[in-house]
Amino acid sequence: NAYFDQITKVAEAAYPGCTQGSVETMKSVYERLVSNESVRHLKKVVNELDICFDTIPQYMLQSNEIFASELNQLIVQLHADYNMEYYPPTPQRTLYQACKIVANKHHSPTQRLARLLQLVATTNDYREAALDRNLSLSCFDLQTQIPFGPNATISAADWTGAGYGLDGERW
């Protein structure tokens, strides 16, 4: 897909190693999640990622593979969103900061993803989505990334980065 090829080029130009770091982080976390289908294992990894377990949508709890796939999709959407906001290109932009996090080899993949989600939680979009839905700001709430509607999922949100809340419902 030419769109995602372009996003990858911009991310790599913003911070060398971003692409490899993103792939390694998500692949490792995905493999860790699907290595054990128990709820106890999922809770352990979710806790390490500082994700609010109690508000994970039920469809994501059907299997650790579904949860891992939706988490991967979230990262794709975030990269697309931050790519659109990367003008003018500066180290203060979220894309640069996200790339710096995932490219950091001094942290484990789980730590990198947790730090990335912490970065997301500092954005105005995240805070507005949390406040709109009366969600806690004490942990990362996946509900902030899901469109409104009865059958909404992260993977059904707009993949270009404008896909949660009312924006996602409109898509």
Side-chain angles (χ1 to χ4, degrees), residues 67-159:
F67 181 85
S69 294
E70 289 293 89
L71 203 53
N72 273 341
Q73 182 57 41
L74 171 61
I75 302 311
V76 169
Q77 290 172 202
L78 290 172
H79 274 289
D81 196 21
Y82 298 154
N83 188 281
M84 289 187 283
E85 297 171 358
Y86 192 61
Y87 186 82
T90 68
Q92 289 73 38
R93 297 285 180 195
T94 310
L95 177 67
Y96 178 92
Q97 295 170 24
C99 285
K100 185 176 179 181
I101 289 168
V102 297
N104 185 338
K105 301 291 186 190
H106 297 293
H107 295 105
S108 73
T110 304
Q111 290 170 324
R112 291 191 300 248
L113 183 54
R115 288 172 185 252
L116 179 61
L117 295 177
Q118 289 169 356
L119 174 66
V120 173
T122 67
T123 64
N124 288 336
D125 286 344
Y126 178 88
R127 292 188 176 281
E128 287 174 19
L131 292 173
D132 284 348
R133 296 178 179 199
N134 282 332
L135 301 173
S136 171
L137 294 175
S138 64
C139 51
F140 190 86
D141 200 315
L142 291 169
Q143 293 286 339
T144 61
Q145 305 302 307
I146 297 175
F148 291 126
N151 298 312
T153 64
I154 289 174
S155 58
D158 171 32
W159 290 15

